[in-house]
Amino acid sequence: MSDSSLRLVWVYPDLLSTYGDQGNVLVVQRRAEQRGLSVERVDVRSDQPIPTSGDIYLIGGGEDRPQRLAAERLLRDGGLSRAASNGAIIFSVCAGYQILGHEFVNDVGERQPGLGLLDVVTTRGEGARCVGDVLGDIDPRLGLPQLTGFENHQGITHLGPTARPFARTVFGNGNGTGDGTEGAYNDTVFGTYMHGPVMARNPQIADLLLKLALDVNALPPTDDRWYEALRAERIAAATQPA
């Protein structure tokens, strides 16, 4: 962690900030500040270099063409990959998740190279688009409660041998492969299809990122009544018959 403050980097808000994903950076910042941590937030546009000294990097979703542009620029820049090599924590959503893999299918139907920070490959699904609420059980090794979120994607993401599923779906599509997996992670890099924004629905994920960045096993408690009310509302809505 940085000596003076926690450095929080929001990657390419001009390209990858669909479905309210910018809320993720707001939640992580707020939950750090509630613990008395000083936070330096850095919003990096796609025409700016990615700093390599961040502690936590957040990447949102985006439409097909902005996703391709973001992948091309992140590959040319190299800063996010160097930050990962330095041990930074990276959390990505939807298009950002696909970019962190080895490759995905872009807006012109070509296989687009990703950053290879997650051992996943994304193809384009031929069936119905994956849209709707998702509930899932997060990998028990992460010690987190049930995952709630909203998915909207055509991509089908296949996990390689070094990628662990972030969650197993109770219902919803998740990665879209039919095997019940949702998202992927390794030690410091995470990907999910969950919007919502996912941190507002699942504040314990934000806390996990903070603990990893601080290298601590626990954080001081906070007032979670608002978050828990939102979680209960969305889980109840998702589980009610249509």
Side-chain angles (χ1 to χ4, degrees):
M1 182 179 138
S2 305
D3 292 336
S4 58
S5 65
L6 186 79
R7 199 171 197 210
L8 188 58
V9 182
W10 178 234
V11 177
Y12 292 177
D14 53 330
L15 294 177
L16 301 174
S17 188
T18 307
Y19 308 122
D21 290 330
Q22 189 169 3
N24 292 331
V25 70
L26 297 175
V27 172
V28 175
Q29 180 176 359
R30 174 62 178 162
R31 292 184 74 79
E33 291 172 343
Q34 285 180 306
R35 274 61 179 249
L37 295 169
S38 174
V39 178
E40 178 190 1
R41 174 177 161 179
V42 181
D43 290 9
V44 183
R45 293 179 58 86
S46 59
D47 60 350
Q48 298 173 317
I50 301 290
T52 60
S53 58
D55 300 303
I56 299 173
Y57 293 74
L58 294 164
I59 312 172
E63 297 179 352
D64 290 349
R65 184 173 183 273
Q67 178 184 6
R68 171 169 56 86
L69 296 175
E72 292 170 350
R73 295 174 189 186
L74 286 169
L75 278 169
R76 285 199 306 268
D77 179 89
L80 189 60
S81 295
R82 291 194 294 274
S85 297
N86 293 337
I89 313 304
I90 302 174
F91 190 92
S92 59
V93 175
C94 203
Y97 168 33
Q98 295 180 7
I99 288 171
L100 295 193
H102 297 299
E103 66 176 43
F104 60 92
V105 178
N106 64 22
D107 58 312
V108 294
E110 297 174 345
R111 293 162 60 180
Q112 178 84 30
L115 301 185
L117 300 180
L118 284 171
D119 186 15
V120 302
V121 171
T122 300
T123 59
R124 186 173 296 276
E126 300 299 328
R129 190 173 181 86
C130 299
V131 181
D133 275 294
V134 176
L135 290 178
D137 297 322
I138 295 178
D139 187 330
R141 286 171 286 195
L142 297 176
L144 297 174
Q146 191 173 52
L147 175 71
T148 169
F150 184 86
E151 63 181 346
N152 185 355
H153 60 97
Q154 191 70 40
I156 306 296
T157 299
H158 307 265
L159 275 59
T162 67
R164 300 170 181 163
F166 183 59
R168 298 278 178 178
T169 56
V170 175
F171 66 83
N173 296 286
N175 287 325
T177 54
D179 62 359
T181 62
E182 199 299 302
Y185 78 102
N186 56 36
D187 292 338
T188 60
V189 181
F190 299 81
T192 181
Y193 274 112
M194 296 300 96
H195 301 286
V198 68
M199 299 294 184
R201 290 198 185 197
N202 307 272
Q204 294 88 353
I205 296 177
D207 291 349
L208 172 66
L209 303 187
L210 293 173
K211 287 187 287 187
L212 290 171
L214 297 167
D215 194 21
V216 297
N217 293 322
L219 296 169
T222 63
D223 183 353
D224 282 348
R225 286 175 293 180
W226 182 90
Y227 294 102
E228 290 306 317
L230 174 62
R231 277 180 58 79
E233 173 192 299
R234 298 319 309 157
I235 291 173
T239 54
Q240 289 175 355

